[in-house]
Amino acid sequence: SGFVKAHWMEDWYFGYQCLNGSNPLMLRETRHLPPNLSVTSDMLRPFLPEGSSLEKELQKGNIYLLDYEVLDGVPANVINEKQTYLSAPLCLLHLNQQGQLLPIAIQLQQKPGPQNPVFLPSDSGYDWLLAKMWVHSADFQCHQLISHYLRTHMMAELCCVATLRQLPDAHPLHQLLLPHVKTSLKINFGARASLLASKGLFDQAVGSGLATLPLLLSRGSARISYRTLCVPEDLSDRGLDKLPQSFYAQDALRIWDTVHRFVTSWVELYYHGDDAVQRDPELHGWLTDINAHGFSNGFPQRFHTRAEVAKFVTALIYSCSALHAAVNFSQLDFAFWVPNCPVAMLRPPPQVKGAVTEDDIMSFLPDVNTTCRVLMALNGLSQPAIDFVPLCHYKEAIFREDAHRRLLEEVQAQLRDISDAIAERNSQLELPYPYLSPERIENSVAI
Ligand SMILES: *[C@@H]1O[C@H](CO)[C@@H](O)[C@H](O)[C@H]1NC(C)=O
Ligand SMILES: *[C@@H]1O[C@H](CO)[C@@H](O)[C@H](O)[C@H]1NC(C)=O
Ligand SMILES: *[C@@H]1O[C@H](CO)[C@@H](O)[C@H](O)[C@H]1NC(C)=O
Ligand SMILES: *[C@@H]1O[C@H](CO)[C@@H](O)[C@H](O)[C@H]1NC(C)=O
Ligand SMILES: [Fe+2]
């Protein structure tokens, strides 16, 4: 966190965090300017390479976008009897020839207009810094509630309940999935009774309070599509697969492939053909249960092939293990320096340029006592899980049977190779990306 404190104001580190930080799920390549972002080619020319233009950079795939429209118009919390504020920024970034991703325009609200200026790197230092802080504040809400709670914790709970309800103990997918989801009920009940409840952390300290949560969580759920849960599709849809600068993307893809091979072998061990999949009523009861209570956007309604089952199960296992590690492990590293991650903002988003001073910046940040609560909660989450089981390791007797043991030896050896490769890479780096190293990934959502 010393590094964060020293570099949080720098533009390259803002871009760095979109790819190598704790919420690598928001950034996406864009080939068109969003219609509601009021920038022109001329405005942005000074921040693009000599002789190039916004159109050319868009065409080359060098322009990226952060869009927090899910926060548009949601009510913000009242903390310590003070109204706080949320914004729904749009932020444009440029991937330059040195491989840095630099923010080049920030509009704090979705609807363009005279009271919603577009902040630029050439604005006064405090205007630009404050605009970036607003983006990080919006990102914190989306990170905790959507990337972390919905995509990992709720996904695990959904799968856990459907598995217990619809698949008998002896069903091969019950056996494979339960170790990945069984800890989720306890931790989620705990989170809803403390962190998300009245007088809990969000109520007392975070910009998204009790009035925000139902709305934001339901909007967030509606935006979770099946494609975004499948790593190869998600990364190529967002243009991250081609970026050597995204360590999340590189590591995520290797882990997905390894888990996917393992799950495919598991599925093929039990289903001897696609028709066996189609004729399994328990499997379809399970899928229907997940769809009925979960996310609806593009999820399969029926399984026709073994490959579809394997992909679906891989997406579930990945979300409960690797994705949780990527969004959870990393939070303390980036959030401990509060200005880098303002969990609430005490003043409304600026409607004009040139109105903030250095002192003003601090007056946007939450009270000291509020900040302490958040840091203590994050610290509490850092207690190592007592019975940590690494990804694709299983204690259940069933996994010691010969056929299973062979599959496990294979997947575990491949994961060890990934760990070694990541350790080797990280040893050369000033800023390592350790979060997706398989030996640090827990098999299930336990915290
Ligand atoms: C991500 O981290 C790696 C290693 O520190 C670095 O080489 C890369 O440039 C980073 N990406 C961005 C966009 O800064
Ligand atoms: C603004 O544009 C973006 C990108 O096209 C879109 O995702 C978002 O929904 C728009 N917001 C509003 C309020 O229209
Ligand atoms: C936190 O600090 C603020 C301002 O310093 C004060 O008004 C508030 O009562 C304090 N809250 C608690 C719970 O101590
Ligand atoms: C969650 O993150 C904390 C650090 O913030 C870490 O100590 C803990 O082990 C993580 N849990 C899991 C399951 O990754
Ligand atoms: Fe968690």
Coordinates of all heavy atoms in Angstrom, one line a residue, residues 144 148-149 152-153 187-188 324 327-329 331 381 445-447, ligand 5:
Q144 N -17.6 -4.3 -5.2 CA -18.1 -5.1 -4.0 C -19.4 -5.7 -4.3 O -19.6 -6.9 -3.9 CB -18.2 -4.2 -2.8 CG -16.8 -3.7 -2.2 CD -15.9 -4.9 -1.8 OE1 -16.4 -6.0 -1.7 NE2 -14.6 -4.6 -1.7
H148 N -18.0 -8.8 -6.8 CA -17.7 -9.7 -5.7 C -19.0 -10.4 -5.2 O -19.1 -11.7 -5.3 CB -17.0 -8.9 -4.6 CG -16.5 -9.7 -3.4 ND1 -16.0 -9.1 -2.3 CD2 -16.5 -11.0 -3.2 CE1 -15.6 -10.0 -1.5 NE2 -15.9 -11.2 -2.0
Y149 N -20.0 -9.7 -4.7 CA -21.1 -10.3 -4.1 C -22.0 -11.1 -5.1 O -22.2 -12.3 -4.9 CB -22.0 -9.3 -3.4 CG -23.1 -9.9 -2.6 CD1 -23.0 -10.7 -1.6 CD2 -24.4 -9.6 -3.0 CE1 -24.0 -11.3 -0.9 CE2 -25.5 -10.1 -2.4 CZ -25.3 -11.0 -1.3 OH -26.4 -11.5 -0.6
T152 N -19.7 -13.8 -7.5 CA -19.0 -15.0 -6.9 C -19.9 -15.5 -5.7 O -20.3 -16.7 -5.8 CB -17.6 -14.6 -6.4 OG1 -17.6 -13.8 -5.3 CG2 -16.8 -14.0 -7.5
H153 N -20.2 -14.7 -4.8 CA -20.9 -15.2 -3.6 C -22.3 -15.7 -4.0 O -22.8 -16.8 -3.6 CB -21.1 -14.1 -2.5 CG -19.8 -13.9 -1.7 ND1 -19.6 -14.3 -0.4 CD2 -18.6 -13.4 -2.1 CE1 -18.4 -14.1 0.0 NE2 -17.8 -13.5 -1.0
I187 N -21.2 -18.2 4.7 CA -20.6 -16.9 4.6 C -21.7 -15.9 4.1 O -21.7 -14.7 4.5 CB -19.4 -16.9 3.7 CG1 -18.8 -15.5 3.5 CG2 -19.6 -17.5 2.3 CD1 -18.0 -15.1 4.7
N188 N -22.6 -16.3 3.2 CA -23.6 -15.4 2.6 C -24.6 -15.0 3.7 O -25.0 -13.8 3.8 CB -24.2 -15.9 1.4 CG -23.3 -16.0 0.2 OD1 -22.2 -15.6 0.3 ND2 -23.8 -16.4 -0.9
H324 N -13.4 -15.4 -7.5 CA -13.4 -14.9 -6.1 C -12.0 -14.4 -5.6 O -11.8 -13.4 -5.0 CB -14.0 -15.9 -5.2 CG -14.2 -15.3 -3.8 ND1 -13.5 -15.7 -2.7 CD2 -15.1 -14.3 -3.3 CE1 -13.8 -15.0 -1.6 NE2 -14.8 -14.2 -2.0
V327 N -11.1 -11.0 -7.2 CA -11.7 -9.8 -6.8 C -11.6 -9.7 -5.3 O -11.9 -8.6 -4.7 CB -13.2 -9.7 -7.2 CG1 -13.3 -9.7 -8.7 CG2 -14.1 -10.8 -6.6
N328 N -11.3 -10.8 -4.5 CA -11.3 -10.7 -3.1 C -9.9 -10.4 -2.5 O -9.7 -9.5 -1.8 CB -11.9 -11.9 -2.5 CG -11.6 -12.0 -1.0 OD1 -12.2 -11.3 -0.2 ND2 -10.6 -12.8 -0.6
F329 N -9.0 -11.3 -3.0 CA -7.6 -11.2 -2.5 C -7.0 -9.8 -2.6 O -6.2 -9.4 -1.8 CB -6.7 -12.1 -3.3 CG -6.4 -13.4 -2.7 CD1 -6.6 -14.6 -3.4 CD2 -5.9 -13.5 -1.4 CE1 -6.3 -15.8 -2.8 CE2 -5.6 -14.7 -0.8 CZ -5.8 -15.8 -1.5
Q331 N -8.3 -6.8 -2.6 CA -9.0 -5.6 -2.2 C -8.2 -4.7 -1.3 O -8.1 -3.5 -1.4 CB -10.4 -5.8 -1.7 CG -10.5 -7.0 -0.7 CD -12.0 -7.4 -0.6 OE1 -12.9 -6.8 -1.1 NE2 -12.2 -8.5 0.2
L381 N -11.7 -9.5 6.9 CA -11.8 -10.4 5.8 C -10.5 -11.0 5.5 O -10.4 -12.0 4.7 CB -12.4 -9.7 4.6 CG -13.8 -9.2 4.7 CD1 -14.2 -8.5 3.5 CD2 -14.8 -10.4 4.9
V445 N -16.0 -20.3 -2.2 CA -16.2 -18.9 -1.6 C -16.3 -19.1 -0.1 O -17.4 -19.5 0.4 CB -17.4 -18.2 -2.2 CG1 -17.7 -16.9 -1.4 CG2 -17.3 -18.0 -3.7
A446 N -15.2 -18.8 0.6 CA -15.3 -19.1 2.0 C -15.2 -17.8 2.8 O -15.4 -17.8 4.1 CB -14.2 -20.0 2.5
I447 N -14.9 -16.7 2.2 CA -14.9 -15.4 2.9 C -15.4 -14.2 2.1 O -15.3 -14.3 0.9 CB -13.4 -15.1 3.4 CG1 -13.3 -13.9 4.3 CG2 -12.5 -14.9 2.2 CD1 -12.4 -14.1 5.5
Ligands
FE5 FE -15.7 -12.8 -0.6

